[in-house]
Amino acid sequence: MKAIKSVKQFYTPDNQIIDFFEIFRHMVNHCIRIGLQNDAHTLKRLTILSYHELKLYDIISYYKLCAISKAAGILSNRKQSVKRGMNTKDPYLKKPILLSCYGFKIVNGIFKIPLGDRKYFDITLNAHTKQILSDNSLKINSFSLTQDSISISYSKEVVQIEFTQTVGIDRNLRNITVGNCNEVIQFDVSKAVKIVESTKSITSSSKRNDSRIVKRLYSKYGTRRKNRINQLLHQVSKIVVEQATKNRQSLVFEDIKHIRKMYQKGNWQGRRHRSKMNGWSFSEIKRQIEYKARWNGTQVIQLSKSETRGTSTLCPKCGKRLQEQRTSRDLWCDICQRWQDRDVVAVMNQSLRGLLRFSSSKGGAGEAMVQESGSKEPVILKVDASKLRPNSDIYHPKA
Ligand SMILES: [Zn+2]
């Protein structure tokens, strides 16, 4: 299995490379026009139609191939949107970029971008980038350049780890809960919610009569907000994947689209707003965990809609319906005569369902495992995600 990652760093462009951005952008937009005129969006067809047309651009030929490929990507995205019935304008590339999977090389810590006639634009890699790329088992695939940053994509072959346990992941507005019937870690992410609330008040307090200004304001604060939250989520996803890899666990995600919590009352003012706010961070943490897990060879299980049903309403021990409390997030089981935290219940159930899917394909052996692991109370550890620092090691309790 191939796993892909990328590393990004800043650099300072010169005039020549800025010219390259312009040529590249024009080529991409040229190909998009050709694609639209001929209703072509596959790479193969677009290459046949546009490669000759790109003769007039004075640039190394593999940049032309990359421009066609970029245009094909934009066109197929547009086709997807049209399919979903969205209103789409004719797309074009506005941002100055340059990307290629050919011709570049790294010599003595310098990333060399070919300009033609054996000339190169040099970017001195920083210590962080150099350290990452120093691993000889990595294959460097491509680079993508913007006006102030370079992103280098690399990959490796990964062998998937055979897992022995499962861990459920429950994403809530204020916490991310991860665990199974033995152990649960609850990451408090309410800081992220505060970031959203503060930027929300900034953007909504502006006058709405100029939609362009509001749009710009949204994008400015949106980017800042996104960066801050992603940073926080990166700390969480890193620990989640590291722990799972170390303990040979598979990570189990619920089917979020049908989860009741998205529409839970009392978190936000409006339902539409609530689902929007929930949507972004929930998918971001999943995205991060998925690519980090893939990199480590740790398996991720996505529960289906029917497998998700009841994960937060049924007792993980006896399987009976739990009673909700108006005032707290605790749930009561009449059979087991005990209170349980809603999110802890969810991850216990999710991990069991993940295990069940795994065991049913191996002939029912998992049933005994399920019963046994459900008979104890899990150890619950609470962590403030905003206090996590890079390379921080959380306290890991012994049951
Ligand atoms: Zn029970």
Side-chain angles (χ1 to χ4, degrees):
M1 193 177 74
K2 194 174 162 190
I4 302 167
K5 263 192 179 180
S6 66
V7 57
K8 187 173 147 181
Q9 74 163 63
F10 292 102
Y11 81 100
T12 314
D14 67 5
N15 286 335
Q16 198 173 10
I17 204 78
I18 286 169
D19 285 346
F20 268 63
F21 285 145
E22 271 310 283
I23 300 171
F24 192 80
R25 200 169 64 84
H26 284 303
M27 289 196 300
V28 172
N29 288 330
H30 195 148
C31 294
I32 289 174
R33 278 196 302 278
I34 293 168
L36 289 173
Q37 277 159 16
N38 297 282
D39 191 28
H41 57 273
T42 62
L43 181 59
K44 194 180 167 193
R45 186 120 191 275
L46 204 60
T47 308
I48 294 166
L49 288 166
S50 50
Y51 190 71
H52 277 289
E53 302 271 329
L54 296 183
K55 257 197 296 198
L56 58 110
Y57 296 94
D58 182 23
I59 198 164
I60 318 169
S61 61
Y62 44 70
Y63 286 128
K64 295 178 185 175
L65 293 173
C66 293
I68 297 169
S69 156
K70 177 75 186 167
I74 293 172
L75 287 167
S76 72
N77 277 345
R78 175 181 173 274
K79 200 179 154 73
Q80 284 291 320
S81 310
V82 172
K83 237 188 200 165
R84 292 198 194 109
M86 283 147 90
N87 257 334
T88 48
K89 279 187 254 173
D90 282 355
Y92 70 101
L93 181 67
K94 212 160 82 180
K95 216 172 127 190
I97 54 160
L98 181 70
L99 41 98
S100 174
C101 40
Y102 315 102
F104 61 87
K105 56 185 178 184
I106 299 175
V107 182
N108 298 326
I110 293 168
F111 197 93
K112 298 178 95 63
I113 292 165
L115 301 169
D117 295 331
R118 292 190 184 163
K119 275 185 273 179
Y120 291 89
F121 175 71
D122 291 352
I123 295 174
T124 307
L125 299 177
N126 64 28
H128 174 69
T129 310
K130 264 196 283 197
Q131 198 247 318
I132 287 173
L133 300 179
S134 66
D135 183 347
N136 283 330
S137 65
L138 301 180
K139 185 174 174 285
I140 298 168
N141 301 317
S142 63
F143 72 88
S144 124
L145 217 56
T146 68
Q147 272 172 322
D148 62 358
S149 71
I150 178 168
S151 177
I152 302 164
S153 158
Y154 55 96
S155 65
K156 70 171 180 187
E157 276 304 317
V158 181
V159 180
Q160 207 167 53
I161 301 169
E162 283 262 357
F163 64 90
T164 53
Q165 290 174 38
T166 50
V167 166
I169 300 169
D170 188 56
R171 293 161 285 168
N172 295 287
L173 209 49
R174 284 163 212 284
N175 75 65
I176 295 160
T177 306
V178 183
N180 54 28
C181 298
N182 302 317
E183 203 170 84
V184 176
I185 305 176
Q186 211 156 33
F187 296 92
D188 182 350
V189 291
S190 51
K191 176 98 175 283
V193 178
K194 281 197 199 100
I195 296 169
V196 177
E197 278 169 344
S198 64
T199 52
K200 180 72 183 47
S201 66
I202 293 165
T203 46
S204 64
S205 65
S206 68
K207 299 237 184 315
R208 279 156 193 266
N209 48 17
D210 189 334
S211 65
R212 275 179 309 174
I213 290 175
V214 173
K215 210 169 161 187
R216 216 176 304 148
L217 206 61
Y218 261 109
S219 95
K220 182 186 164 195
Y221 286 104
T223 310
R224 229 174 67 181
R225 179 180 85 184
K226 207 178 101 192
N227 289 342
R228 287 169 71 187
I229 290 170
N230 286 2
Q231 221 177 343
L232 185 125
L233 296 178
H234 268 300
Q235 311 289 355
V236 176
S237 59
K238 183 169 172 262
I239 291 172
V240 169
V241 173
E242 274 174 7
Q243 295 283 347
T245 306
K246 200 178 84 192
N247 301 322
R248 303 174 73 88
Q249 292 161 329
S250 165
L251 296 157
V252 185
F253 279 99
E254 70 215 313
D255 180 32
I256 200 90
K257 274 173 282 178
H258 304 280
I259 206 81
R260 130 208 82 79
K261 275 177 233 129
M262 295 258 303
Y263 303 106
Q264 199 174 301
K265 284 176 193 163
N267 287 335
W268 295 91
Q269 295 82 355
R271 163 191 255 246
R272 232 179 80 212
H273 190 65
R274 206 155 52 222
S275 62
K276 205 166 98 188
M277 285 305 178
N278 280 355
W280 54 258
S281 75
F282 285 7
S283 62
E284 174 60 20
I285 188 75
K286 184 167 183 243
R287 188 191 69 82
Q288 291 182 8
I289 289 174
E290 278 175 336
Y291 88 77
K292 288 175 189 178
R294 195 180 166 87
W295 189 257
N296 285 6
T298 293
Q299 204 170 317
V300 172
I301 296 174
Q302 172 66 60
L303 295 181
S304 68
K305 182 183 169 185
S306 65
E307 284 171 318
T308 303
R309 192 169 294 136
T311 46
S312 46
T313 52
L314 302 176
C315 176
K317 222 182 205 179
C318 66
K320 289 285 172 302
R321 181 164 282 276
L322 295 160
Q323 284 160 24
E324 287 191 48
Q325 261 315 81
R326 238 168 214 288
T327 46
S328 77
R329 292 183 62 77
D330 282 351
L331 302 166
W332 171 254
C333 180
D334 237 3
I335 310 283
C336 305
Q337 289 283 307
R338 61 166 181 173
W339 290 103
Q340 297 171 85
D341 180 279
R342 186 189 288 269
D343 307 324
V344 173
V345 164
V347 294
M348 286 168 79
N349 278 322
Q350 278 175 41
S351 75
L352 292 173
R353 304 227 177 156
L355 206 60
L356 208 62
R357 181 199 284 187
F358 172 68
S359 61
S360 62
S361 65
K362 290 207 168 175
E367 203 61 35
M369 281 155 78
V370 171
Q371 291 302 329
E372 198 203 7
S373 54
S375 62
K376 278 187 307 196
E377 295 274 346
V379 178
I380 299 170
L381 176 68
K382 292 189 191 258
V383 177
D384 182 350
S386 67
K387 299 230 168 77
L388 293 170
R389 293 288 168 267
N391 306 319
S392 67
D393 211 5
I394 55 161
Y395 163 63
H396 204 65
K398 300 257 182 304

